[in-house]
Each structure stands twice: as C-alpha cells, then as structure tokens.
Amino acid sequence: MVKDKLTSNDKSPFDIGDQVSFMLEKKKFQGIIEKGYNNSYMIGFQTTDPALEDKYHGKIVINNKNITMVKEGPHNSKGKNKDSEATEDEKK
C-alpha cells in the first residue's frame, strides 16, 4: 500500500505570504504566513501588549487547522500561479 506523500500543508489552501487570523491567549490576531511545516505554519504578527511581545517576539507556530484565511498573498511557493488558474477556469 502506497502512503500519501503530500503533507497536510500541501493539501491546505494556505501558502506563504497569505494573511491569516488566529486565536492566541483568548484574543484574535492577524498575521502573515512566513514559513510552512508539515502540519503548521510560522506566522509573523504584531501586538501592542508588551507581555505577548516578550513571550512570542512577533512570531508563532500555529496548526493549520487553527487558522483562517483573511487575504491571499501575491505569490505562491507551491509552484502554482493562483492568478493564472483563475483566468484559465474563466476561459472555459
């Protein structure tokens, strides 16, 4: 039996550069995906809370199931062009 070699990030709708939202210590934050891992993403974010800034330094790793899309980024690291896929589907 052949295992599926795609990670859950390969199957997810998120990509590097996308703006996403997530919950952190019962507060909602928005940030930009900076790096992808097997089941999670590193997200850069900003906060005015000095305790959170000291604890997280503006970066956090969140499971891909716990983030929601706010806005897609301009580029795609998965080798697909989001803009060209949309226009090809519109042509059909």
Side-chain angles (χ1 to χ4, degrees):
M1 180 177 223
V2 176
K3 278 190 167 183
D4 186 6
K5 293 188 179 198
L6 294 176
T7 65
S8 61
N9 279 358
D10 292 333
K11 298 174 188 175
S12 80
F14 306 109
D15 199 11
I16 295 171
D18 291 345
Q19 184 177 0
V20 294
S21 65
F22 58 93
M23 295 295 291
L24 177 62
E25 297 188 10
K26 300 181 183 179
K27 297 178 186 173
K28 192 169 188 172
F29 288 93
Q30 288 188 2
I32 305 292
I33 294 176
E34 295 181 355
K35 187 174 182 180
Y37 299 102
N38 284 338
N39 298 318
S40 57
Y41 291 99
M42 180 169 48
I43 302 170
F45 70 101
Q46 293 182 350
T47 181
T48 56
D49 186 345
L52 289 177
E53 181 63 33
D54 186 47
K55 187 175 182 179
Y56 297 103
H57 301 284
K59 295 184 190 297
I60 188 164
V61 176
I62 300 280
N63 186 299
N64 60 6
K65 294 177 184 176
N66 297 328
I67 57 178
T68 55
M69 180 72 73
V70 173
K71 183 180 174 187
E72 287 188 358
H75 52 49
N76 189 324
S77 68
K78 294 180 184 175
K80 296 182 264 179
N81 187 343
K82 293 179 184 178
D83 294 334
S84 68
E85 285 179 16
T87 52
E88 286 177 11
D89 289 338
E90 292 171 358
K91 291 177 185 176
K92 293 179 181 177

